[in-house]
Amino acid sequence: MPRSAPPFMPSRHTDLETPADILKLLGHPIRLAITLLLLSGPKTVSFIETHLGFKQPNLSQHLAILRDAKIVRSSRRAKSVTYEIGAGLPQRILLALSAALANEPAPPEYETQIPAHTDTPQARPTPAKHLDDQEALVFATVRYPDHK
């Protein structure tokens, strides 16, 4: 069976600033929870507050950060503000995270195969002992580019 190439292999010329910035913003648990919830469609601030159990002032701060970064969009109708995920790279990153967190298989374009055999001991790094079986499998299937 032929080995499949990873879906994306960066080079030294690849600009990774934007995705890195998005991932930094999503690195906060409250912002991640908000954005994952918004993947199911537009939600009002009161719905997000009730559903996730966050206090309104704290929630508003995180929504402002996400809005300023153009990860979410807002619209106002009378006194109600509705938020939704913007299209583009942030949405694609969140969809991949959502699939991973739901323990669903990734879309076919993201799947990689474990090499059948390799003579190089570094080809498949050993996962750390604190990883569970599913995390270890993910860790073992990722192929990292050679750094020179």
Side-chain angles (χ1 to χ4, degrees), residues 1 4 20 28 61-62 73-74 80 104 120 128 132-133:
M1 176 182 276
S4 64
H28 193 286
Q61 288 178 342
H62 288 288
R73 296 186 300 232
S74 65
S80 180
E104 296 175 0
T120 315
D132 65 28
D133 290 342

Coordinates of all heavy atoms in Angstrom, one line a residue, residues 1 4 20 28 61-62 73-74 80 104 120 128 132-133:
M1 N 0.9 -1.2 0.0 CA 0.0 0.0 0.0 C 0.9 1.2 0.0 O 1.8 1.4 0.8 CB -0.9 0.0 1.3 CG -1.7 1.2 1.4 SD -2.7 1.2 2.9 CE -4.1 0.2 2.4
S4 N 0.7 7.7 2.0 CA 0.1 9.0 1.5 C 0.9 10.1 2.1 O 1.4 10.0 3.2 CB -1.3 9.1 1.9 OG -1.4 9.1 3.3
A20 N -0.9 30.7 13.3 CA -0.4 30.6 14.6 C -1.1 31.6 15.5 O -1.5 31.3 16.7 CB 1.1 30.9 14.6
H28 N -7.3 29.8 24.6 CA -8.0 30.1 25.9 C -9.3 29.2 25.9 O -10.1 29.3 25.0 CB -8.3 31.6 26.0 CG -8.7 31.9 27.4 ND1 -10.0 31.6 27.9 CD2 -8.1 32.6 28.4 CE1 -10.0 32.0 29.2 NE2 -8.9 32.6 29.4
Q61 N -15.9 40.2 27.1 CA -14.5 40.5 26.9 C -13.9 39.5 25.9 O -13.2 39.9 24.9 CB -13.7 40.4 28.2 CG -13.9 41.6 29.1 CD -13.1 41.4 30.4 OE1 -12.6 40.3 30.7 NE2 -12.9 42.5 31.1
H62 N -14.3 38.2 26.0 CA -13.8 37.2 25.1 C -14.4 37.4 23.7 O -13.7 37.2 22.7 CB -14.0 35.8 25.7 CG -13.1 35.5 26.8 ND1 -11.7 35.2 26.7 CD2 -13.3 35.4 28.1 CE1 -11.2 35.0 27.8 NE2 -12.2 35.1 28.8
R73 N -18.2 37.2 13.9 CA -18.9 38.4 13.4 C -20.1 38.6 14.3 O -20.7 37.7 14.8 CB -19.4 38.3 12.0 CG -18.4 38.1 10.9 CD -19.0 38.1 9.6 NE -19.9 37.0 9.4 CZ -19.9 36.1 8.5 NH1 -19.0 36.2 7.5 NH2 -20.9 35.2 8.4
S74 N -20.5 39.9 14.5 CA -21.6 40.2 15.3 C -22.6 41.0 14.5 O -22.3 41.7 13.6 CB -21.2 41.0 16.6 OG -20.7 42.2 16.2
S80 N -30.5 42.8 21.4 CA -29.9 41.5 21.3 C -28.7 41.5 20.3 O -28.9 41.9 19.1 CB -30.9 40.4 20.9 OG -30.4 39.2 20.8
E104 N -14.3 12.0 16.2 CA -14.7 11.5 14.9 C -13.5 11.4 14.0 O -12.5 12.2 14.2 CB -15.7 12.5 14.3 CG -17.0 12.6 15.1 CD -17.9 13.7 14.5 OE1 -17.5 14.3 13.5 OE2 -19.0 13.9 15.1
T120 N 14.5 3.7 9.9 CA 15.0 4.9 10.7 C 14.3 4.9 12.0 O 13.0 5.0 12.1 CB 14.7 6.2 9.9 OG1 15.0 6.0 8.6 CG2 15.4 7.3 10.6
A128 N 4.7 10.2 24.6 CA 4.9 10.3 26.1 C 4.0 9.4 26.8 O 2.9 9.0 26.4 CB 4.7 11.7 26.5
D132 N -3.2 9.1 26.3 CA -4.0 7.9 26.3 C -3.8 7.2 24.9 O -3.2 7.7 24.0 CB -5.5 8.2 26.6 CG -6.1 9.1 25.5 OD1 -5.7 9.1 24.4 OD2 -7.1 9.9 25.9
D133 N -4.5 6.1 24.7 CA -4.3 5.3 23.4 C -4.7 6.1 22.2 O -4.0 6.1 21.2 CB -5.1 4.0 23.4 CG -4.6 3.0 24.4 OD1 -3.4 3.2 24.8 OD2 -5.3 2.1 24.8

